[in-house]
Amino acid sequence: MTFLEFVEGPAWYVAITIFTIGVLWRFLGIIAIGRRTDMSAPKGSASAGFVKAIFRHFLPRTIFAERTRVHILGGYSFHLGLFILLFFAAPHVVFIKAHILGFGWPALPRWAFIIAAQAAFAGLILLWVRRICDPVMRQISDWDDHVGTILTFLVMLTGCLALQESVEALRALHMLFVNIWLIYFPFSRLMHAFTFILSRGYTGATYGHRGIVP
Amino acid sequence: MSTKTSAPTQTAADQAVSKFLEYTHASTAAYFDACVHCGECAEACHFYLSTKNPIYTPIYKLQPMLKAYKRHKAPLSSIKRLFGLVPEQITKQELEEWSPLVYDSCNMCGRCTLACPMGIDIAFTIRKMREGFVAADIVPGDLRQSEKNALETGSPMRVQAKALQAQVRAQEKDCGIAIELDKKGADYLVILSSMEIMGYPEVIGSLAKIFKEAGIDWTISTKAYEATNVGIQIGSWDTARTLVQRVVDEAEHLGVKYVISPECGHAYSALRWQGPNLIGRSYDFEVIHIIELLHQLTTEGRLQMKSKNGRRLTLHDPCQIVRRGGLVKEPRALLNDVADHFEEMQGAGITNFCCGGGGGVSANSRAAKLQASAFECKMQQFNDIDGLELIVTPCANCRTVLEDGLEEHDSPLEVIGLSELLAQHLDHRQT
Amino acid sequence: MGHKTFSHAKLTLNSNQLSQGIAGVFLFMAAFLMLGSLVFPTNAKASSVRPPANATINALPENSSPQPAPKATGGFVPGNTLGNRSQTSFWKSVRDGAIGTRDTMQAFPSPLIQSQGQDWRYLRNNYISRYGGWLLIGVTGLIALFYLIRGRIKIKSGRSGAVIPRFSLTQRVVHWFTAVLFILLSISGLILLFGKHLFIPLIGKTAFGVVASASMQSHNLFGPLFIIATLTMFFVFLKGNGFKLVDLKWALKGGGFFGGHASSHRYNFGEKAWFWWAIILGITLSLSGLILEFPWLVGTNMWPLLAGLAHGGAALLMIAFAIGHIYIGTVGMEGSLEGMTRGSVDENWAREHHDLWYQEHNKEATGDHPPAKAQAATSKG
Amino acid sequence: MARMKFLCDAERCIECNACVTACKNENEVPWGINRRRVVTINDGKPGERSISVACMHCSDAPCMAVCPVDCFYQTDDGVVLHSKDLCIGCGYCFYACPFGAPQFPQASNFGSRGKMDKCTFCAGGPEKDNSAVEFQKYGRNRLAEGKLPLGAEMCATKALLAGDGDKVADTYRERVVSRGFGSGAWGWGRAYPGQSGG
């Protein structure tokens, strides 16, 4: 078995299993902690608030956006870029078809995918550099933030190194980091990719009940 | 480990931790797991903005509770513990160091939630975390004293029923309207904050005028007249419940249909939203905020303004009533009825700055300096409005804090309660 | 409070500053060219690689067979048709790159021979790669020597403990953003230029092929981001980087190594030189890089060739200066790194290295506004 | 050992493109790539000339000199070959080559040229002679089979000559002598400097 076969075979299946079970466990684990039912007389709908808040917090309020526009720019270019290249890069579509879903969808042309990758890289570097330079982010960051950022950066970087799509070793390296990243994911702050729904939703529900969505 | 000296300190920290964990509900857990440490909340916090000190980043203030959650309660933490990847045990010393961040530098105003991309309700989590600090008895002395006063006398400022009666009588004389105390079967029960009773008793007269005009059957109780709830501020479930229970018992004893929450921010939150959860059941009566009632009366036409205020004025939004209580439109509609020159400050409405005195900070002398610097943000908002003369706010605590702050700045600006302003314009006398 | 709001003044391009800047750049480049003429041989022209003018041999071989040439036509085909004589000028034009047509599918222009590639190869392999390599080794060596002789430049009067703000958060973020990209790009670029000579003997062709493939792909991906970084940096750091007379004095005093203390404003001559050096080379790198990434932007092959040379040359010059910049920003001088990490520097550092800036800073602070003192970094938890 | 060379007799080439087609067919060159091309100068005017041109397998090959990964090598026969496994598609060989021989399968955006492909003198690549892999990557290895490049073999007018440089030179010399004129061995001065050409 070559190294590539290992990281795309057994290692990949172990990683994706840990990822899936871990994410579900943690996500459901949070819900299972439970919360008190609000007994005060409602002034609005909690469930509507749950949904509204999820969408409301995608857009920053103008008064705060003015202060943190660089952050918002970096955040959005990173996340949008990452989603585009994760789901619409030709090699990823092929991989998803072969290893996960069994079906694929039209992929982006190479140049569009590279532009998305550049946006993602620019955003990630910007956010990380800011994490180091900004006294506030420095104060509240812990090792998990840096490990998560660096791992994600390495996954993206090795993916970018393998862009010629002809060198097996580079593809294997990319897959290796993908596997590490997947295993690390459920134990780390990367979980925010899923928990943001709960976080925004619970606040939305609490205040939706009071007739306002913060 | 359990030597004689370290044992009691350890238990204090343990008690705090167990409270932290008890109050870590699904929502809190989701908040802790979703936070990406982006620091946006700092940009919303007047304590950070006025000091530029990163330790006042709102989410940072939750550190002890976050550590307890990550060590003991977070899903998958048992696996992380195997690799030594969970935070250290919390010590009492750490909690003591954190006490100023928890009690002095947070008004529980909730502005940070609006800036948070994850929508984390930091303010309410602070409220929960204070439970742990109460359990470990690491609480600012002033708040402890207020709590003691409230439990013993019914008022954090030790305002006795006799004092209330005296103030009511004085107001009766002033406005010429009789106020019946402890009236059974009245429709509305008015409760007040000590601040109003002692500092702004004219509020009582104003209410009497308004209710007479609108033809409302109301009363004040001599047993449960205090609306404020120090338990909410200090973070003590038991105290908060006891204080809410008093009002509920008296309201149900008198058989009123409504309890009117006065112009006080956290009192509204305590009785309206947290009360039923504290006592574990819903009420036989409805809680209505005075602004809600006034708005209702004016829209129904039962209350008509006969004059308008000509001064340039603005509205300060009390956090617990507006941002976290949902009463955004009501005070504005009322003000537009009564003012010719009503101008909104920057960020008015749910993104308005707190006065800096909420969440027990104004009662906490240790926090005075910090509170004064946080007021800079508020002052800036006032300064940005050209020719501002009057600030209207439907919260007695905000009013005191603003008046103190303005005095500190030698500002000629005046502050007035909303219902008081309305009462002035029920007749044709122009102020 | 002084650094609370981002001033728009920083963004506006003051024409005075710009002209100062450009004048300074010309001075700087002139100095560089003079230096270059000493180092590089004067006959750097590539004519020597061209084949001699008589390269196309059209004479009879010396020992040709004795069979008689067909005299009947005398070398001329009746009717003056194609191919009746050799046309020297015609073939010379082909050699000089005459464009013909190609009739596959549809006719499109195509040269038979292009000689520029030869010049390109010569300049790249003999000048850029060779002297560029020596340049980097030389600069590193000089700095190492300097470190051994002079050692770390300490704050003479020690740390005062009080700090003053030097770089805003925006400046710091832009700086490190550019720095990250610069490092990624220089590593991958140097691998592509020198890797063949350095790594193939060490790790073999196959392994190096992997490294090179990775380098090229990442270089191409990160390159365009560097353009954005360079432009942002220009606007964010422009203010205060115009050359002034005091900079000439600073340069003549060698930054204070001879002739006593050298005064400087917010940025000294070295920093200003680095700023313009990085901006001008950065723009050169950006434009040439764009041509190399999107050759279809320009019609002929000539542009990518020039771009390739400019790219390599500019990159090496920039890296050489960057080595010095990194040295003085980290190990070379006490107290300079924190300006770019925390955003504030020690007062004594400012007094010793940027006295005029320090004075201005204190002058601005009148009675009403005490000098802005940045919060000393609070470390807690 | 023989030194393999190409020579195109401009007096004979009739621009039939048979060499292009033969090469493409024999080597199964991918779509969009022509290893050999025929260029006509002064097309349609008196004195037009056509030349069939591909990699000339230079003695001091510029592509070899500039390749950043050193993927080129020259066989004992003087044939310049390259390894597609090492090639990173940077395009430097294309910049340096005087004859425009290196070809790339893709349009170039963000360095996506793909692996370089060029005339191999029908001599394959570094893989085992006449193996399937070799054929798939580089085309037919006719030299290993004892045959010469098909483009030259197929040339109807025998304008394109390929083979041992001395033989090619002799043949051409004979032609020049018998014709009384010639264009010179086109491209030889550049490709094989320092050697006597036709």
Side-chain angles (χ1 to χ4, degrees):
Chain A
M1 185 185 281
T2 64
F3 185 60
L4 179 64
E5 280 164 358
F6 172 72
V7 288
E8 282 197 353
W12 156 256
Y13 289 108
V14 168
I16 195 74
T17 310
I18 292 178
F19 172 81
T20 316
I21 295 174
V23 166
L24 280 175
W25 184 274
R26 189 151 168 198
F27 194 80
L28 298 176
I30 290 169
I31 297 174
I33 293 172
R35 58 200 291 259
R36 292 198 179 87
T37 36
D38 197 336
M39 274 180 280
S40 58
K43 218 177 143 186
S45 160
S47 37
F50 192 98
V51 178
K52 264 192 226 164
I54 290 174
F55 290 100
R56 182 64 192 82
H57 281 266
F58 274 120
L59 285 176
R61 284 188 163 78
T62 343
I63 195 167
F64 305 120
E66 279 164 17
R67 290 179 177 282
T68 55
R69 49 180 178 257
V70 175
H71 216 145
I72 291 153
L73 187 78
Y76 266 102
S77 67
F78 167 65
H79 283 100
L80 288 180
L82 186 68
F83 288 136
I84 292 171
L85 73 89
L86 186 58
F87 294 113
F88 293 101
H92 293 170
V93 174
V94 171
F95 186 86
I96 290 169
K97 190 177 177 185
H99 286 79
I100 307 174
L101 297 173
F103 61 88
W105 47 81
L108 278 177
R110 191 187 143 94
W111 59 265
F113 150 49
I114 289 187
I115 289 172
Q118 283 169 339
F121 268 113
L124 185 61
I125 297 172
L126 196 68
L127 292 180
W128 191 54
V129 158
R130 215 185 120 100
R131 188 176 287 293
I132 291 164
C133 292
D134 181 12
V136 167
M137 290 182 80
R138 242 177 123 93
Q139 181 80 49
I140 57 180
S141 298
D142 55 17
W143 59 267
D144 188 5
D145 294 313
H146 295 285
V147 174
T149 312
I150 291 167
L151 259 185
T152 309
F153 181 75
L154 284 175
V155 170
M156 283 165 57
L157 183 72
T158 50
C160 139
L161 298 184
L163 264 178
Q164 203 190 2
E165 292 173 52
S166 73
V167 187
E168 270 203 359
L170 293 174
R171 186 187 169 93
L173 190 69
H174 180 49
M175 278 307 296
L176 176 71
F177 277 105
V178 168
N179 291 344
I180 295 174
W181 188 83
L182 285 173
I183 293 170
Y184 182 72
F185 191 101
F187 300 96
S188 72
R189 191 155 291 120
L190 298 174
M191 270 301 286
H192 76 272
F194 298 101
T195 46
F196 85 93
I197 297 172
L198 295 179
S199 172
R200 290 179 188 176
Y202 279 135
T203 301
T206 306
Y207 292 93
H209 180 86
R210 301 186 184 182
I212 192 167
V213 176
Chain B
M1 282 299 284
S2 56
T3 59
K4 272 176 191 169
T5 45
S6 73
T9 57
Q10 204 56 45
T11 42
D14 283 349
Q15 276 169 343
V17 167
S18 61
K19 278 287 179 195
F20 289 162
L21 297 178
E22 185 190 331
Y23 283 91
T24 303
H25 302 126
S27 51
T28 321
Y31 297 155
F32 288 150
D33 275 347
C35 177
V36 288
H37 294 169
C38 68
E40 303 264 302
C41 47
E43 298 297 338
C45 180
H46 43 303
F47 287 103
Y48 168 75
L49 289 173
S50 58
T51 59
K52 289 282 171 194
N53 188 340
I55 65 164
Y56 295 127
T57 307
I59 197 71
Y60 186 66
K61 299 166 191 169
L62 291 173
Q63 204 79 345
M65 193 169 177
L66 170 69
K67 280 166 95 175
Y69 166 72
K70 282 194 153 181
R71 187 176 171 85
H72 301 286
K73 199 168 183 176
L76 299 176
S77 60
S78 49
I79 296 175
K80 280 165 95 172
R81 200 197 312 273
L82 291 179
F83 298 96
L85 295 178
V86 288
E88 296 286 299
Q89 190 82 258
I90 295 166
T91 60
K92 188 177 181 198
Q93 193 200 348
E94 203 178 339
L95 293 176
E96 274 161 357
E97 276 173 23
W98 232 268
S99 170
L101 286 184
V102 181
Y103 282 104
D104 303 5
S105 74
C106 183
N107 294 129
M108 303 199 287
C109 77
R111 194 169 187 256
C112 41
T113 304
L114 304 182
C116 178
M118 299 294 166
I120 297 172
D121 189 356
I122 297 172
F124 200 60
T125 315
I126 289 274
R127 151 83 180 85
K128 289 174 170 178
M129 190 167 84
R130 287 183 182 181
E131 295 279 349
F133 281 77
V134 168
D137 199 19
I138 304 168
V139 178
D142 294 338
L143 285 177
R144 237 334 163 215
Q145 189 56 44
S146 299
E147 186 193 22
K148 206 170 147 234
N149 292 346
L151 288 173
E152 282 171 4
T153 66
S155 156
M157 291 162 80
R158 299 194 91 91
V159 176
Q160 311 267 5
K162 270 185 281 176
L164 171 73
Q165 280 163 339
Q167 295 285 41
V168 168
R169 294 301 153 236
Q171 286 301 314
E172 274 183 331
K173 208 178 283 173
D174 241 29
C175 63
I177 303 166
I179 300 169
E180 194 176 341
L181 295 171
D182 297 320
K183 179 183 175 191
K184 273 215 166 193
D187 288 339
Y188 291 87
L189 170 66
V190 168
I191 52 174
L192 296 158
S193 70
S194 303
M195 195 74 76
E196 287 174 311
I197 300 168
M198 300 317 290
Y200 315 108
E202 56 275 17
V203 170
I204 302 168
S206 305
L207 288 178
K209 262 194 256 174
I210 292 169
F211 292 155
K212 189 184 174 219
E213 182 86 10
I216 273 179
D217 179 20
W218 68 292
T219 187
I220 298 178
S221 162
T222 50
K223 294 200 189 72
Y225 47 86
E226 178 59 58
T228 62
N229 191 325
V230 71
I232 297 286
Q233 294 174 327
I234 201 171
S236 167
W237 183 275
D238 295 334
T239 308
R241 188 186 48 215
T242 312
L243 296 177
V244 166
Q245 193 72 55
R246 280 182 190 165
V247 176
V248 173
D249 286 348
E250 181 63 9
E252 285 171 2
H253 167 73
L254 293 175
V256 297
K257 296 196 188 99
Y258 298 96
V259 172
I260 298 172
S261 182
E263 295 201 341
C264 173
H266 82 271
Y268 177 64
S269 169
L271 194 63
R272 174 72 177 88
W273 302 116
Q274 298 186 45
N277 299 315
L278 288 164
I279 64 169
R281 64 176 177 88
S282 50
Y283 306 144
D284 292 344
F285 52 88
E286 270 184 52
V287 178
I288 186 165
H289 192 268
I290 181 71
I291 297 176
E292 274 179 293
L293 180 63
L294 292 174
H295 183 247
Q296 195 188 318
L297 294 176
T298 45
T299 43
E300 283 170 6
R302 292 167 70 184
L303 209 56
Q304 267 162 1
M305 299 301 138
K306 301 200 173 79
S307 63
K308 280 206 163 195
N309 196 306
R311 296 161 87 185
R312 190 173 284 266
L313 51 83
T314 189
L315 173 73
H316 163 73
D317 296 277
C319 317
Q320 305 301 330
I321 294 169
V322 179
R323 177 161 43 239
R324 301 163 72 75
L327 302 179
V328 188
K329 277 173 271 152
E330 290 84 348
R332 296 189 155 69
L334 290 170
L335 262 185
N336 279 324
D337 270 357
V338 81
D340 281 328
H341 303 288
F342 168 39
E343 206 155 323
E344 294 277 25
M345 52 184 117
Q346 203 209 359
I350 66 167
T351 49
N352 212 333
F353 272 116
C354 173
C355 60
V361 172
S362 61
N364 177 1
S365 57
R366 188 175 73 181
K369 213 179 141 197
L370 202 53
Q371 187 195 329
S373 85
F375 185 74
E376 297 295 334
C377 293
K378 198 73 229 174
M379 199 62 215
Q380 188 63 46
Q381 285 184 307
F382 296 149
N383 289 341
D384 285 347
I385 302 177
D386 286 333
L388 182 67
E389 291 166 286
L390 184 64
I391 301 154
V392 184
T393 181
C395 170
N397 190 42
C398 292
R399 189 174 167 183
T400 335
V401 171
L402 292 179
E403 278 175 353
D404 290 351
L406 290 168
E407 201 181 309
E408 196 85 3
H409 282 82
D410 296 325
S411 167
L413 287 174
E414 280 177 45
V415 191
I416 190 172
L418 180 54
S419 27
E420 212 181 315
L421 180 76
L422 292 180
Q424 285 176 1
H425 295 281
L426 284 176
D427 48 31
H428 296 278
R429 186 159 43 92
Q430 189 84 26
T431 28
Chain C
M1 293 304 243
H3 52 283
K4 191 174 145 191
T5 48
F6 181 76
S7 161
H8 284 279
K10 284 176 195 165
L11 281 173
T12 50
L13 201 139
N14 184 330
S15 64
N16 195 27
Q17 278 170 358
L18 190 68
S19 59
Q20 282 170 349
I22 290 170
V25 168
F26 278 130
L27 252 166
F28 202 79
M29 286 183 120
F32 183 78
L33 282 177
M34 277 162 63
L35 198 72
S37 62
L38 295 174
V39 176
F40 296 110
T42 40
N43 58 345
K45 281 171 74 184
S47 58
S48 54
V49 284
R50 289 179 190 261
N54 60 352
T56 41
I57 302 157
N58 205 13
L60 285 178
E62 284 156 283
N63 55 348
S64 60
S65 56
Q67 58 177 275
K71 294 256 162 62
T73 58
F76 286 83
V77 177
N80 196 26
T81 52
L82 168 71
N84 62 355
R85 84 188 77 197
S86 181
Q87 298 149 300
T88 326
S89 60
F90 175 87
W91 290 110
K92 193 174 178 304
S93 76
V94 169
R95 184 67 190 82
D96 290 343
I99 308 289
T101 52
R102 242 176 109 182
D103 281 348
T104 44
M105 316 274 271
Q106 64 194 55
F108 59 92
S110 165
L112 265 172
I113 254 194
Q114 57 121 352
S115 295
Q116 306 94 317
Q118 281 302 100
D119 306 343
W120 183 75
R121 163 191 171 179
Y122 183 77
L123 289 171
R124 180 185 149 84
N125 285 6
N126 288 297
Y127 284 86
I128 293 181
S129 148
R130 180 178 303 154
Y131 293 112
W134 285 117
L135 174 70
L136 296 190
I137 294 171
V139 167
T140 317
L142 277 175
I143 286 171
L145 198 68
F146 178 80
Y147 181 71
L148 288 176
I149 296 169
R150 180 66 177 76
R152 187 165 205 224
I153 300 170
K154 292 250 160 61
I155 301 175
K156 272 180 225 140
S157 43
R159 281 175 185 272
S160 69
V163 288
I164 54 177
R166 180 153 173 84
F167 295 112
S168 72
L169 178 61
T170 314
Q171 286 178 318
R172 280 176 282 152
V173 167
V174 169
H175 171 268
W176 289 113
F177 181 76
T178 315
V180 169
L181 287 171
F182 181 76
I183 287 166
L184 286 168
L185 286 167
S186 24
I187 291 174
S188 53
L190 289 175
I191 286 175
L192 288 174
L193 188 58
F194 297 115
K196 181 183 184 175
H197 309 295
L198 290 176
F199 294 120
I200 289 181
L202 291 174
I203 59 176
K205 279 190 180 185
T206 315
F208 181 69
V210 173
V211 175
S213 166
S215 299
M216 197 188 87
Q217 296 302 328
S218 57
H219 201 85
N220 286 343
L221 194 138
F222 289 121
L225 295 181
F226 188 71
I227 302 177
I228 301 169
T230 304
L231 292 177
T232 323
M233 198 152 78
F234 175 72
F235 289 110
V236 168
F237 283 93
L238 180 63
K239 196 185 174 202
N241 262 315
F243 287 100
K244 291 191 172 132
L245 191 64
V246 69
D247 295 319
L248 185 65
K249 287 185 204 155
W250 190 95
L252 289 175
K253 286 180 182 174
F257 285 109
F258 18 87
H261 177 81
S263 293
S264 85
H265 286 279
R266 184 181 175 86
Y267 303 115
N268 64 33
F269 177 73
E271 286 167 301
K272 287 176 183 175
W274 169 229
F275 171 77
W276 290 105
W277 187 261
I279 292 299
I280 287 177
L281 291 179
I283 290 170
T284 313
L285 286 167
S286 304
L287 292 177
S288 55
L290 275 178
I291 294 175
L292 291 170
E293 282 220 62
F294 309 99
W296 49 264
L297 284 175
V298 287
T300 63
N301 223 0
M302 195 62 198
W303 282 105
L305 293 176
L306 286 174
L309 294 176
H311 202 77
L316 287 163
L317 292 175
M318 192 153 165
I319 292 170
F321 210 140
I323 294 172
H325 171 70
I326 293 168
Y327 167 78
I328 207 77
T330 53
V331 280
M333 182 182 281
E334 182 188 1
S336 56
L337 183 64
E338 56 209 52
M340 215 23 117
T341 51
R342 289 182 205 152
S344 55
V345 289
D346 195 276
E347 270 189 358
N348 285 351
W349 182 91
R351 213 195 325 261
E352 281 167 28
H353 299 294
H354 298 274
D355 49 350
L356 299 174
W357 172 63
Y358 177 74
Q359 286 161 17
E360 278 162 36
H361 183 268
N362 276 357
K363 214 183 288 168
E364 272 171 32
T366 56
D368 290 341
H369 304 277
K373 305 258 199 264
Q375 196 95 32
T378 17
S379 54
K380 204 178 175 191
Chain D
M1 253 290 149
R3 168 60 167 105
M4 293 298 173
K5 289 178 185 175
F6 272 126
L7 195 154
C8 182
D9 188 342
E11 309 299 329
R12 280 175 172 244
C13 178
I14 57 167
E15 199 199 347
C16 70
N17 276 303
C19 48
V20 177
T21 317
C23 165
K24 203 162 164 57
N25 191 53
E26 178 76 351
N27 294 309
E28 297 186 9
V29 179
W31 193 90
I33 291 181
N34 285 319
R35 288 181 177 180
R36 179 167 284 286
R37 68 189 200 277
V38 176
V39 177
T40 307
I41 311 268
N42 294 343
D43 195 8
K45 299 184 191 111
E48 78 163 36
R49 290 287 194 288
S50 294
I51 296 273
S52 168
V53 61
C55 174
M56 292 293 276
H57 303 276
C58 302
S59 302
D60 173 24
C63 50
M64 268 175 96
V66 297
C67 178
V69 288
D70 231 354
C71 78
F72 292 94
Y73 63 100
Q74 199 156 19
T75 65
D76 296 339
D77 292 333
V79 178
V80 175
L81 298 177
H82 72 292
S83 160
K84 283 197 180 182
D85 294 338
L86 295 177
C87 175
I88 58 168
C90 67
Y92 287 179
C93 47
F94 177 74
Y95 293 148
C97 178
F99 304 106
Q103 306 289 308
F104 294 90
Q106 287 154 28
S108 177
N109 266 341
F110 299 111
S112 61
R113 290 183 177 87
K115 304 280 185 186
M116 189 272 278
D117 189 275
K118 73 168 190 68
C119 162
T120 62
F121 211 82
C122 287
E127 271 81 2
K128 193 172 167 294
D129 282 347
N130 297 319
S131 60
V133 189
E134 187 192 46
F135 179 72
Q136 189 254 324
K137 282 183 185 161
Y138 307 97
R140 194 81 63 201
N141 190 344
R142 290 172 59 88
L143 235 54
E145 295 168 2
K147 300 170 190 163
L148 285 169
L150 192 67
E153 301 270 289
M154 292 278 285
C155 181
T157 59
K158 292 285 166 272
L160 185 60
L161 304 172
D164 181 349
D166 294 340
K167 300 248 170 64
V168 169
D170 286 347
T171 310
Y172 188 65
R173 191 178 295 121
E174 267 172 45
R175 287 184 188 174
V176 170
V177 169
S178 56
R179 279 205 295 258
F181 58 84
S183 61
W186 179 85
W188 276 38
R190 166 60 220 112
Y192 321 119
Q195 300 175 15
S196 61

